[in-house]
Amino acid sequence: MNFDKLLEPITISKMEVKNRFAMAPLSNLFATTNGEVTKRTLDYYATRAKGGVGLVIVEYSYVQPEGKGCIGTMLGCYSDKLIPGLSDLARSIKENGARAALQIAHAGRQTFPEFTETPHIQAPSPIPLPGYPVPKEMSLEEIEKTIEAFGKAAQRVKLAGFDAVEIHGAHGYLPWSFVSPITNQRKDK
């Protein structure tokens, strides 16, 4: 088998990547409790970029405080105040030879109020995940605000200098919950 193709550049939309190796997003939990980038975060991703991978996809970054997952030290992209740290992160990856992408996400029903610091967790329908509290069915206004939060998060990612955005729509998180008839039993639009 010829693996030479893996070392060839590839163009994804308008982004040229030096090879076909990508680091998939993997939460390392090095952020602050407010979702801010830390020196440890910068060092971790700079080291991965130095290793020769063509694209580094940075871990789950929550688009709203109520979308934070079940871990206290996840990255956030929910506020403009986080842009400077995210800029440092994108720059550290790119200066070390890789393209930089950031995964944006909302945990939906896969979290607990103590992590989100909100009175309830959100989902399309009040169907709990085993071991989790019953989520509050999102109002149409909350859904619109969340859609807007994804858009604003993507804008922040771009302003921070990342080359791409990945929307985390798997593993039962909020986007997936809207697609599945098991977790979305709404009768409205």
Side-chain angles (χ1 to χ4, degrees), residues 27-32 36-42 44-45 59 73-75:
S27 293
N28 59 40
L29 314 179
F30 297 156
T32 68
E36 299 161 312
V37 171
T38 63
K39 181 175 180 338
R40 191 171 179 196
T41 308
L42 295 172
Y44 175 84
Y45 284 106
E59 65 196 84
T73 55
M74 299 181 93
L75 279 178

Side-chain angles (χ1 to χ4, degrees), residues 30-92:
F30 297 156
T32 68
T33 55
N34 294 325
E36 299 161 312
V37 171
T38 63
K39 181 175 180 338
R40 191 171 179 196
T41 308
L42 295 172
D43 292 345
Y44 175 84
Y45 284 106
T47 300
R48 299 311 168 285
K50 282 179 193 173
V53 68
L55 174 64
V56 172
I57 307 170
V58 175
E59 65 196 84
Y60 180 120
S61 183
Y62 55 100
V63 301
Q64 291 176 300
E66 54 267 41
K68 187 177 188 180
C70 291
I71 302 159
T73 55
M74 299 181 93
L75 279 178
C77 57
Y78 61 90
S79 168
D80 288 351
K81 72 179 182 177
L82 300 171
I83 294 173
L86 293 171
S87 293
D88 291 342
L89 180 54
R91 188 172 34 261
S92 73

Side-chain angles (χ1 to χ4, degrees), residues 150-177:
F150 270 94
K152 286 181 178 180
Q155 287 176 320
R156 289 184 193 100
V157 171
K158 183 177 181 179
L159 286 171
F162 282 87
D163 299 302
V165 174
E166 177 182 271
I167 298 173
H168 194 329
H171 306 141
Y173 291 137
L174 192 62
W176 178 91
S177 293

Side-chain angles (χ1 to χ4, degrees), residues 1 3 10 29 35 40 47-49 57 78 83 89 102 107 114 116 126 136 146 159-160 165 169 173 178 182 184 189:
M1 182 165 252
F3 292 103
I10 187 169
L29 314 179
R40 191 171 179 196
T47 300
R48 299 311 168 285
I57 307 170
Y78 61 90
I83 294 173
L89 180 54
L102 182 77
E114 56 266 29
T116 63
K136 175 190 169 292
T146 301
L159 286 171
V165 174
Y173 291 137
F178 273 97
I182 296 169
N184 183 358
K189 68 176 184 171

